[in-house]
Amino acid sequence: MRKWYTLVEAYSRRQLTVKTDKLPAVSGVAAEVAHMLGSADGSAYAAGLWKGDILRGLAWFFHPMFCLRVAKGDHPWPPGPADEGIPSWSWAAFDGSVMHYGQGWSKLQAPTVLSVETLPVGVDPFGRVMGGRIRLTGWTFEAQVSEAHLRLYFDSDPEELPSIAVVCLMLGNGLSPRRVYGDVGLVLMKDGQRQRRVGMFDVEASDRKWVKGRRQMTVEIE
C-alpha cells in the first residue's frame, strides 16, 4: 500500500491531456496490485482506492506545494472534478497533486465502513467509473464554515461552494494536514439528496465544543 500511495502522489502531479484518462492510465498497475492482494477480479478496488485500506485512502489532501502555487497565483483552483463519473471521495476526482495522510492514525474512534460501491463504465473494473458511493457510520459534527474552532481545508475555492453549512466526519486521530496532532476527517456538503466530499478538517481532540457537539451518524458519500 505504501508503494501504491507513493505512485498515486507522483502520478497526481502530472498534467493529463485527456482528463478522463486518469483512472485508465493507472489501471494496469492497479491490476497488478490487485493480483498481489489476491483479488485479481477487481473486487478490492474502488476508483483508485483499496477497500482493505479505505480509511487511509479517503485521507488524501492537496499537496502543500500545489496550495502554495495557488496562493501565489501561479495556478488556479481546480475548476471541477477531473472526470464527472469519479466519486468525490476518490483522489482521482481532484484535478491536482495530492498527498495521503492517515498512516499511524489511531483507529479507536474511526468510522465503521458499511459498504463501498463503484459502477465501472465498461468491463474493466480498474478503468473509468460512472459513479460510486461509500456508506460509513462515525463521529460527525454539523458546522458553519465560519466556525473558528475547526480548521477546514477545501478542495476548491470556498467562494464557489453553494452553501456554508458542512458536516465533518472524523476518520481518525493523528497528524493533520497542518502537521499538528488532533482529530482529522472529511468535510462533506449536501448536493441534493447526497453528500459529497469538499475537503478535510482537523480540530484539537480536547476541544470542548467538538467533543460536546459531535454525534454518531451514518453518511453516504458519492
Side-chain angles (χ1 to χ4, degrees):
M1 288 295 96
R2 183 169 60 250
K3 291 182 178 180
W4 171 259
Y5 294 124
T6 298
L7 180 144
V8 164
E9 291 169 6
Y11 176 57
S12 70
R13 294 194 292 269
R14 307 298 188 266
Q15 295 182 342
L16 297 184
T17 303
V18 181
K19 301 298 184 183
T20 54
D21 282 347
K22 200 160 191 179
L23 287 176
V26 294
S27 62
V29 178
E32 284 296 317
V33 173
H35 181 75
M36 294 171 64
L37 294 174
S39 59
D41 60 353
S43 59
Y45 187 69
L49 281 67
W50 298 95
K51 295 178 183 179
D53 199 32
I54 196 70
L55 295 182
R56 185 178 175 193
L58 291 171
W60 57 267
F61 183 70
F62 57 74
H63 195 285
M65 291 305 296
F66 178 82
C67 185
L68 181 62
R69 291 181 62 195
V70 171
K72 292 172 60 179
D74 296 336
H75 196 290
W77 277 104
D83 184 337
E84 291 290 345
I86 300 176
S88 65
W89 40 263
S90 171
W91 59 267
F94 183 72
D95 191 14
S97 56
V98 302
M99 291 184 67
H100 283 85
Y101 293 81
Q103 184 173 11
W105 283 3
S106 170
K107 297 182 179 180
L108 292 178
Q109 301 185 67
T112 300
V113 181
L114 303 177
S115 63
V116 182
E117 304 172 1
T118 55
L119 298 172
V121 169
V123 297
D124 183 4
F126 305 103
R128 288 186 66 198
V129 297
M130 63 179 72
R133 66 185 61 182
I134 180 170
R135 294 182 70 244
L136 311 98
T137 296
W139 288 111
T140 64
F141 186 92
E142 297 184 35
Q144 302 292 318
V145 171
S146 59
E147 293 198 48
H149 73 295
L150 291 169
R151 186 69 175 266
L152 308 179
Y153 313 88
F154 290 101
D155 300 332
S156 60
D157 189 342
E159 294 183 359
E160 296 181 4
L161 296 175
S163 170
I164 59 172
V166 296
V167 173
C168 297
L169 171 69
M170 182 179 173
L171 291 179
N173 177 271
L175 191 64
S176 77
R178 59 175 167 151
R179 314 298 293 177
V180 298
Y181 284 88
D183 291 344
V184 193
L186 302 180
V187 177
L188 310 174
M189 184 173 289
K190 280 191 174 182
D191 185 2
Q193 297 300 312
R194 64 177 184 171
Q195 298 268 14
R196 64 184 176 93
R197 173 199 157 117
V198 293
M200 289 189 70
F201 81 94
D202 67 57
V203 63
E204 292 185 12
S206 59
D207 185 282
R208 295 180 65 182
K209 188 173 183 180
W210 157 251
V211 174
K212 185 177 179 180
R214 66 185 184 177
R215 63 189 180 93
Q216 286 281 326
M217 186 171 70
T218 297
V219 298
E220 184 172 287
I221 315 169
E222 295 187 3

